[in-house]
Amino acid sequence: MSALSIEGLHARHGLLEAVRGISFAVRKGETLALVGANGAGKTTLLRTLAGAHPTAAGRILLNGDDVTKLPAHQRVRHGIALVPEGRRMFASMTVTENLKLGAMSGRKGDWSIERIVEIFPNLKKRLDHKTGHLSGGEQQATAIGRALMSNPDILLLDEVSLGLSPLVVDRVYEQFGGLMQSGTTIILVEQDLSRAMSVADRVICMLEGKTVLEGAASELTREQVTDAYFGLHRANSGRHVQ
Ligand code: ATP
């Protein structure tokens, strides 16, 4: 059974259809990268999966259970956690307090502050610091840690690189190694195609709310993904989805 499968998902902003009939399934432990130009619908899709944005049509199945109609807080209890774009930390709270907050809203499981610090060692000396005083990379690690503390089966990461220097992004991604080995299923939105293709098992390229290319990261070429990204369809270039 897939950890998460979505069938014919649609989501709107008023009259604008931002997500137009997306379907895919993710296996447990798989890392899926969603790529696509600005406005392709990636953030709306992630927010819809998390229940932060309403589903206009289609179904979302989590471990086989239909969660489409559940509000966001109940989806957290079913094992979906979103790290939103821009991190959204409680700046006046310490790292520890933020992490504990994640645990309170989630379900029981193996994640603990000690395990978060193992994966993000840069937080070790920061646990008692207010998150507003942390560097961008440390804030990002705290935001991911907070989501992990809810013991999710599926972690949704929206543009973790946003607003961080390339050096800091490298560090955050380096620390992902441990996260991926933990067996957590990850769906991430990433603007940097090279990074997306190097970190993910599978890549889906979206264009104007639809999937235009889907494949194993190891089997797609950068040229194929770039073409799909810009809406150029070359003959014989990978598995294009209409
Ligand atoms: P980006 O990389 O810029 O975040 P994206 O692929 O994540 O882009 P979305 O942010 O999901 O795309 O946007 C999809 C479409 O929905 C775009 O046309 C965008 O202008 C529109 N949109 C997004 N948020 C809103 C909103 N709150 N109100 C109205 N339209 C919106």
Side-chain angles (χ1 to χ4, degrees):
M1 189 199 301
S2 303
L4 176 81
S5 68
I6 65 172
E7 299 169 357
L9 203 71
H10 288 252
R12 298 199 177 92
H13 295 284
L15 292 178
L16 179 98
E17 216 175 358
V19 175
R20 300 192 290 154
I22 298 270
S23 300
F24 62 73
V26 201
R27 293 187 314 274
K28 180 171 165 35
E30 190 178 22
T31 298
L32 170 71
L34 294 175
V35 301
N38 286 344
K42 308 175 299 293
T43 293
T44 305
L45 174 57
L46 278 200
R47 287 174 48 78
T48 307
L49 295 180
H53 190 88
T55 301
R59 293 205 308 162
I60 302 167
L61 302 174
L62 184 61
N63 295 320
D65 293 334
D66 190 337
V67 298
T68 319
K69 292 198 166 63
L70 295 185
H73 68 275
Q74 284 186 26
R75 289 194 208 185
V76 175
R77 295 199 187 279
H78 271 73
I80 294 187
L82 170 69
V83 179
E85 200 175 315
R87 305 184 274 276
R88 313 248 175 95
M89 304 301 300
F90 292 101
S92 61
M93 287 168 63
T94 65
V95 171
T96 300
E97 287 166 345
N98 267 285
L99 294 177
K100 284 185 175 164
L101 202 65
M104 275 167 60
S105 56
R107 49 193 196 157
K108 295 207 184 312
D110 293 340
W111 284 102
S112 59
I113 293 180
E114 291 71 32
R115 268 190 81 197
I116 301 295
V117 170
E118 269 172 36
I119 288 191
F120 298 114
N122 56 339
L123 291 184
K124 193 166 189 168
K125 292 193 177 137
R126 296 280 185 259
L127 288 174
D128 297 329
H129 291 221
K130 289 192 166 47
T131 48
H133 298 160
L134 302 182
S135 70
E138 289 162 351
Q139 286 187 9
Q140 190 64 74
T142 308
I144 297 170
R146 187 178 60 182
L148 287 172
M149 289 292 282
S150 71
N151 289 293
D153 291 330
I154 316 266
L155 184 64
L156 308 173
L157 298 170
D158 197 358
E159 296 203 33
V160 292
S161 324
L162 206 74
L164 303 180
S165 72
L167 198 72
V168 175
V169 176
D170 282 346
R171 281 205 208 115
V172 172
Y173 268 88
E174 270 165 28
Q175 291 156 6
F176 270 17
L179 179 53
M180 284 161 182
Q181 279 162 19
S182 72
T184 308
T185 308
I186 300 171
I187 302 179
L188 61 94
V189 168
E190 176 54 68
Q191 285 286 352
D192 181 333
L193 288 187
S194 303
R195 214 179 272 283
M197 292 180 75
S198 65
V199 80
D201 301 306
R202 203 145 53 89
V203 176
I204 285 182
C205 184
M206 288 177 68
L207 181 73
E208 295 171 359
K210 293 185 172 178
T211 300
V212 281
L213 181 71
E214 176 175 0
S218 57
E219 289 169 9
L220 292 173
T221 64
R222 200 189 144 89
E223 191 183 38
Q224 286 173 313
V225 181
T226 311
D227 282 0
Y229 191 101
F230 291 111
L232 306 171
H233 291 239
R234 291 183 201 205
N236 306 320
S237 65
R239 286 185 285 146
H240 284 289
V241 186
Q242 295 302 327

